[in-house]
Amino acid sequence: MDETATADAGGSGTAGADAGGSDAPAGDPVVVGEGVRKAYGDVDALDGVDLDVAAGEVFGLIGPNGAGKTTLVRALTGTTEAEGDLRVFGAPPREVDPSRIGLLPQSFDPPARLTARELVDYYGGLYDAARDTEAVLDDVGMADDADAWYETLSGGQKRRTCVATAVVNDPDLLFLDEPTTGIDPAGRRAIHRLIERLAADGTTVFLTSHAMDEVERLADRVAMLRDGRVVASGAPDRLVAEHGGAPRLDAATAGPATEETAAAVAAGVRERLGDDPSVEATDGGLRVRGVRPEAIGAAVDALDGAGVAFDSLSWSEPSLEDVYLRLTGEEYARRGGDTEETPAAAVDGGER
């Protein structure tokens, strides 16, 4: 980035966009959306979305398929029209200098008979100043496969190459729509390190992903979309504290547990800890909620006291995935009872 871009994009932003939330970022935001609306026929893809993204922060956007994430990215990058007030660097999206923006859409099919190196060279050539192609390929883990045709690459290698084309111009603001889809663990780590390095250098990153661990690791703030509306937003740890629920201890048994067994375990936990526990039977055994690490032994004694023979125990704290499931449900249906499958193509389809 040149000195002007660094000054514009530099800074740090950690905190939430909840109404009246104490996490609100300071200074003029890089991205603003107020009352953003977009409809495809009778489907409201975006239904009054409000958000802002501070300079230098990684902002995560999550939600089920068909919730409107890609439509919002397209509206903010000026690739689709939407109602409401949308500003990027203080201007309407279509008036922003394209060299300041990097975009990796959800669906991107570059020429198949170009090599990874040729593709990065081509997209770098669209700008007056671009990063060194070899350095970019190395950043995304494609240095060893740079001379392979795009059509011969694996799905993960293709996605890494696409990420390279999105960052070759050294953007001040980078939109990444599902950047690690289909990428193996090593490739994901390379992309994660790249995002962290870009943010540390002052790039503002707008990230959408279905990988909750990815968003929880990378994002300073998160907004969750459902039915085209923001239903929760804030720093990941804040969302987990507010919506994630209690820690849980899972006991895996040979078969499904009964409600009677769950009640017996609950009585044993109550006797040993004095709490009013939540114990539920699951397909794989029993789940005891609200067990802190220091109370695991007492919970195990309660299981033994109830005659529960278990194969293994696992304890976990709530995560952003628990927040996601709690606020959206494991099975997602759009308003009016339609499943997300039908409108998803219209709502979350995207092109470069």
Side-chain angles (χ1 to χ4, degrees):
M1 285 181 286
D2 59 30
E3 294 180 0
T4 302
T6 303
D8 286 340
S12 172
T14 40
D18 300 89
S22 60
D23 293 347
D28 294 333
V30 168
V31 176
V32 174
E34 296 178 353
V36 182
R37 298 180 181 277
K38 175 70 176 181
Y40 294 95
D42 294 332
V43 176
D44 291 323
L46 301 173
D47 191 10
V49 170
D50 296 321
L51 58 80
D52 58 86
V53 181
E57 79 172 328
V58 179
F59 185 88
L61 185 68
I62 60 177
N65 291 331
K69 301 185 300 297
T70 294
T71 298
L72 181 58
V73 169
R74 296 181 69 188
L76 291 170
T77 54
T79 55
T80 193
E81 293 283 356
E83 300 176 11
D85 184 13
L86 297 102
R87 282 168 281 142
V88 176
F89 298 115
R94 292 188 176 180
E95 296 180 12
V96 178
D97 179 358
S99 68
R100 301 190 69 185
I101 307 294
L103 170 62
L104 175 68
Q106 189 180 73
S107 176
F108 176 35
D109 295 313
R113 285 301 182 99
L114 293 181
T115 67
R117 178 179 284 108
E118 289 169 339
L119 282 168
V120 177
D121 274 339
Y122 170 75
Y123 282 100
L126 299 177
Y127 304 98
D128 293 333
R131 293 186 59 204
D132 176 68
T133 294
E134 302 306 316
V136 174
L137 289 167
D138 186 60
D139 279 344
V140 300
M142 283 298 296
D144 293 339
D145 300 287
D147 294 318
W149 283 349
Y150 183 81
E151 68 178 1
T152 67
L153 299 175
S154 69
Q157 290 173 324
K158 288 179 178 178
R159 198 60 177 163
R160 279 186 269 168
T161 301
C162 293
V163 172
T165 68
V167 302
V168 68
N169 59 315
D170 196 17
D172 298 329
L173 172 60
L174 177 61
F175 288 90
L176 296 173
D177 196 353
E178 302 287 349
T180 59
T181 298
I183 297 181
D184 62 28
R188 288 184 76 223
R189 284 196 295 269
I191 299 302
H192 291 171
R193 287 193 295 267
L194 173 62
I195 292 171
E196 290 167 340
R197 187 164 64 252
L198 289 170
D201 289 341
T203 301
T204 304
V205 181
F206 193 108
L207 169 70
T208 76
S209 177
H210 281 114
M212 295 301 106
D213 61 327
E214 178 172 87
V215 177
E216 193 164 8
R217 168 182 171 172
L218 297 173
D220 299 305
R221 289 190 299 136
V222 178
M224 182 179 294
L225 275 184
R226 177 167 182 174
D227 289 331
R229 302 189 188 102
V230 175
V231 295
S233 61
D237 57 353
R238 176 180 166 185
L239 292 178
V240 171
E242 292 180 353
H243 304 287
R248 62 177 182 257
L249 181 70
D250 286 296
T253 60
T258 66
E259 295 299 332
E260 291 77 9
T261 302
V265 172
V269 173
R270 189 180 303 112
E271 177 183 347
R272 289 166 175 80
L273 299 178
D275 296 331
D276 190 13
S278 169
V279 181
E280 60 187 272
T282 67
D283 290 340
L286 286 167
R287 175 169 295 164
V288 186
R289 295 186 182 274
V291 177
R292 302 304 309 171
E294 61 273 13
I296 292 176
V300 171
D301 290 341
L303 290 166
D304 289 336
V308 177
F310 53 86
D311 299 324
S312 64
L313 289 174
S314 61
W315 180 88
S316 60
E317 291 186 293
S319 66
L320 192 61
E321 182 170 326
D322 294 300
V323 175
Y324 178 92
L325 294 175
R326 177 165 290 203
L327 295 182
T328 66
E330 294 185 67
E331 295 183 5
Y332 172 63
R334 297 190 61 83
R335 290 184 299 275
D338 295 329
T339 66
E340 51 93 3
E341 297 296 336
T342 301
V347 175
D348 267 4
E351 298 178 357
R352 181 151 183 153

